[in-house]
Amino acid sequence: MRTITAQQYMDGGDVDDGYDEAFVRHPDTGVRREIWDVGFERDEFGNVVLFTAAADPILVTPNTPIEVR
């Protein structure tokens, strides 16, 4: 595992084939969630939209750490 930012993840990171796994810690609860998909647009506040097993997407700032493999 290594860490990149949510912005790098949204941009496609630095690998051509993507990532096998990606995880984020929910900013409010600290619960670690696997990311299933990422919003390709930011919300009106500049947050990156991440989709996980949670009912609602998780909104994080572009510099939020994302663990990838």
Side-chain angles (χ1 to χ4, degrees):
M1 286 282 207
R2 62 188 179 91
T3 302
I4 62 172
T5 66
Q7 181 65 51
Q8 289 171 310
Y9 185 75
M10 188 172 90
D11 292 342
D14 57 1
V15 293
D16 294 332
D17 297 330
Y19 304 105
D20 290 333
E21 297 177 310
F23 297 90
V24 64
R25 292 209 180 269
H26 194 289
D28 297 330
T29 65
V31 174
R32 186 174 182 249
R33 298 250 185 209
E34 184 173 4
I35 300 169
W36 291 353
D37 199 359
V38 62
F40 292 103
E41 295 182 12
R42 294 185 186 169
D43 73 358
E44 64 271 18
F45 303 107
N47 294 308
V48 176
V49 181
L50 302 174
F51 297 94
T52 69
D56 295 316
I58 298 172
L59 304 178
V60 297
T61 60
N63 63 346
T64 298
I66 304 289
E67 298 171 27
V68 296
R69 177 177 80 75

